[in-house]
């Protein structure tokens, strides 16, 4: 065998060697859409270690029904997302069998291996799905409390509705972009000083990142019907990292009374690999029932849907040799779970569709180094954020800054990770 098929770590359970600190373990097997220089057609791929499995190249190892419905000619994951839980289970189990060290169909077929396994560094990633609709929530209590304290004071930090429902707003699907896409600093109406009451037009001065995660909807529900809590898990396909870029000064002026608009619609970055909920299942945390107040019955969970996923945000300025971590958080800090977000979104009869994207909202922990935005890290501009030992400091993002988000769940000798979610800030267009 070629060197990359020899494994000394039998705990991986695959014939492909995967480093213990790789995001893409055999236990993970995330899905994405990729192309290669020799085949420009986008198609479904599966990441394992430093390799991508071309699903189309091994389609004969899947059932004819899966091939016809979810694989043949598919340039996005929408068909697989819409196929539902039984198809997801069959698809993943087939992949695990194909890549197992105990299965010979791919392992012992040199010709098939050479065409089906492609070095990850040689592929170009594409958007994993056609996103019909995008909704962003505001579901980290720590984040909401921090922002509320800054603008309304500690006693009025949370709005009266916050502990009763997952607050959210409808975003702009057209400006959801793939990791690596550069983000243009937006321009718009801003107040020139803290005491000003009349806006001016100009480039955003308070550009920020928001450390989030997003999940893709599966089959969805019919118009007029609601998704019930007991069915919600079967409607969540998988998760990605998300940077929901924010223009704080544009947003501050515009958000009353209808909420975010231009301050949020200029760019949302997601990571390319979709990690399935089956891969994340071992990292579910014990249920912590909400009792003060207790949610209304339709939002009550009988088991946990919170996950222990470590999250990091780093910044690399134009004059820096390497990136420096400015925030380390965890998905466990979410107050409202993805399942509760989806149930609440559909409770009116709003129809969800395969490939719809729902964002968690900024994920902040209890300690300052766990804050998921520059707004919190600099505490509304009153503190300086040091970028490691580089000598650089920030309050908000500068032109040329590269923002890199990463995340993973840590298992015994393996990781279930998400890869990178990156974006570089470009200067505003000439006004």
């Amino acid at each position: 065998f070629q060197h990359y098929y020899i494994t000394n770590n039998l705990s991986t359970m695959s014939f492909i060697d995967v480093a213990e600190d790789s995001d893409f373990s055999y236990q993970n097997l995330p899905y994405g859409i990729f192309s290669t220089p020799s085949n420009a057609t986008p198609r479904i791929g599966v990441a394992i270690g430093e390799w991508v499995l071309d699903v189309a190249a091994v389609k004969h190892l899947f059932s004819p029904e899966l091939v016809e419905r979810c694989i043949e000619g598919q340039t996005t994951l929408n068909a697989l997302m819409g196929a539902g839980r039984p198809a997801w289970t069959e698809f993943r189990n087939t992949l695990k069998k194909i890549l197992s060290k105990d299965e010979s169909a791919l392992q012992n077929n040199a010709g098939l291996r050479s065409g089906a396994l492609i070095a990850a560094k040689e592929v170009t990633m594409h958007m994993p799905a056609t996103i019909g609709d995008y909704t962003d929530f505001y579901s980290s209590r720590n984040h909401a409390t921090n922002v509320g304290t800054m603008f309304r004071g500690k006693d009025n930090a949370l709005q009266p509705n916050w502990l009763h429902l997952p607050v959210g707003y409808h975003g702009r699907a057209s400006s959801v972009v793939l990791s690596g896409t550069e983000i243009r600093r937006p321009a718009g109406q801003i107040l020139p000083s803290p005491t000003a009451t009349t806006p001016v037009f100009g480039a955003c001065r308070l550009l920020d990142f928001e450390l989030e995660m997003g999940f893709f909807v599966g089959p969805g529900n019919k118009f007029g019907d609601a998704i019930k809590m007991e069915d919600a898990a079967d409607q969540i396909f998988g998760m990605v990292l998300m940077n929901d870029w924010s223009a704080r000064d544009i947003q501050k002026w515009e958000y009353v009374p209808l909420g975010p608009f231009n301050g949020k619609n200029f760019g949302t970055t997601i990571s390319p690999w979709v990690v399935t909920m089956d891969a994340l299942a071992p990292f579910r945390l014990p249920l912590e029932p909400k009792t003060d107040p207790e949610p209304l019955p339709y939002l009550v969970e009988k088991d946990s849907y919170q996950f222990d996923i470590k999250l990091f945000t780093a910044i690399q300025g134009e004059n820096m040799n390497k990136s420096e971590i400015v925030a380390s958080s965890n998905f466990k800090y979410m107050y409202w779970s993805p399942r509760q977000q989806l149930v609440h979104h559909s409770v009116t009869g709003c129809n969800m569709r395969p490939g719809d994207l729902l964002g968690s909202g900024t994920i902040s922990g209890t300690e300052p180094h766990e804050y998921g935005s520059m707004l919190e890290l600099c505490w509304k501009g009153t503190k300086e954020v040091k970028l490691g030992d580089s000598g650089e400091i920030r309050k908000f993002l500068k032109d040329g800054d590269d923002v890199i988000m990463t995340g993973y769940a840590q298992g015994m000798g393996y990781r279930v990770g998400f890869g990178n979610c990156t974006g570089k800030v470009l200067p505003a267009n000439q006004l």
Side-chain angles (χ1 to χ4, degrees), residues 52-70:
V52 174
L53 174 68
D54 186 344
V55 173
V58 293
K59 65 183 181 182
H60 60 285
L61 301 177
F62 290 79
S63 69
E65 294 79 12
L66 267 184
V67 172
E68 181 179 1
R69 186 173 184 184
C70 303

Side-chain angles (χ1 to χ4, degrees), residues 54 60 194 198 214 250 276 310 315 345 359 365:
D54 186 344
H60 60 285
T198 302
I250 294 175
T276 66
K310 304 175 191 296
I315 297 174
H345 199 324

Side-chain angles (χ1 to χ4, degrees), residues 8 127 137 320 375 396:
N8 296 315
M127 286 291 287
F137 285 90
M320 295 171 59
L375 177 66
F396 290 91

Side-chain angles (χ1 to χ4, degrees), residues 221-239:
N221 56 304
K222 294 181 180 180
F223 177 68
D225 291 345
I227 297 172
K228 296 179 180 180
M229 186 63 70
E230 57 265 31
D231 302 322
D234 289 338
Q235 294 284 354
I236 299 175
F237 178 75
M239 301 190 74

